[in-house]
Amino acid sequence: MGAVVVDPGALTLALEPHQALDRASMHVANALLGNPETAPGLEVLVGGLKLRFVTGSAVAVTGAEGMVTLNGSEFPQNTPVRVAPGAVLELGPALFGIRYYVAVQGGVTAPGPALGAGSAVAFGKPHGHGFPAVQQNARRALDLERPVVARVSRGLQAEHHDAGTWLRLTSEPWTLSPESDRVGARLHGRPLEVGRSGSAAAAQAPHPQPLAWGSVVLPPSGLPVIALADRPATAKSPVIAVVREEDLDLIGQARPGQMVHLLG
């Protein structure tokens, strides 16, 4: 036994690091505790998670920033902290960024990806004793008032669109749609032309193409979608750009309504 979910908040998922939308924050949380890079942890959307520890362990919370408490007292983020049996960890609403990451020494296992009230969270066996010195500093969480800036390179189908489409994609402001999820970050703004002819047919790739994380897809609506962790395997709409690997975590921490700049 490890811990019990008292309240899962809006959405708490038990994930392997490669599934996290902010992989760097998950990596830092594991590193702080001396966990392997592959150790699963928890991704907490917005906040609201309340976790009661049945057995003692050590915990690190990274990613979004807000009021995090342990037994009602302030819990320091980006720091490994030992917790005693019976302790309650609570993540308040995120004030900066949108996704917290919770790592427990030894990693976590859960009955399913999405956790509900009463779900049991088991802990793996710790690797070694004490906490290692971590060289990588945690990134400050995103400020809602500031735009998210992500660099992009041209996608395979960019050549089927005129220079004006690329210029608008990489110079005009976009905002993150409330319809965004773990499948894709949907951008609102002035729709782009879908092809040289501006027709819906021109927006279709000849064949379904593999869809990589960070691909910027241009559907018939003309509103770009950035493919994220739970994307489909293929896409029919053209991939006109690809977000740089080092900037993908920023997209995962952006909030609906936040401005997004794609820089070419």
Side-chain angles (χ1 to χ4, degrees), residues 4 36 45 55 57 94 96 113 140 156 189 194 212-213 218:
V4 172
L45 181 65
T55 54
S57 189
F96 300 95
R140 287 302 306 271
L156 294 177
V194 295
W213 195 335
L218 186 60

Side-chain angles (χ1 to χ4, degrees), residues 2 52-57 71 82-88:
R52 178 171 59 83
F53 288 79
V54 179
T55 54
S57 189
N71 293 333
R82 295 198 182 279
V83 295
V88 175

Side-chain angles (χ1 to χ4, degrees), residues 88-178:
V88 175
L89 178 72
E90 187 168 1
L91 278 59
L95 302 178
F96 300 95
I98 195 170
R99 290 178 170 88
Y100 290 100
Y101 290 88
V102 180
V104 179
Q105 200 166 38
V108 304
T109 57
L115 301 184
S119 295
V121 179
F123 306 153
K125 185 178 180 180
H127 289 71
H129 301 283
F131 304 129
V134 177
Q135 302 299 323
Q136 180 179 347
N137 294 326
R139 183 190 64 242
R140 287 302 306 271
L142 299 179
D143 186 339
L144 178 60
E145 302 302 321
R146 295 178 179 272
V148 175
V149 178
R151 295 163 294 177
V152 296
S153 56
R154 292 178 183 270
L156 294 177
Q157 278 73 48
E159 63 183 25
H160 300 303
H161 297 75
D162 60 32
T165 298
W166 178 259
L167 179 63
R168 287 188 51 211
L169 174 73
T170 56
S171 62
E172 293 188 4
W174 303 95
T175 57
L176 188 68
S177 166

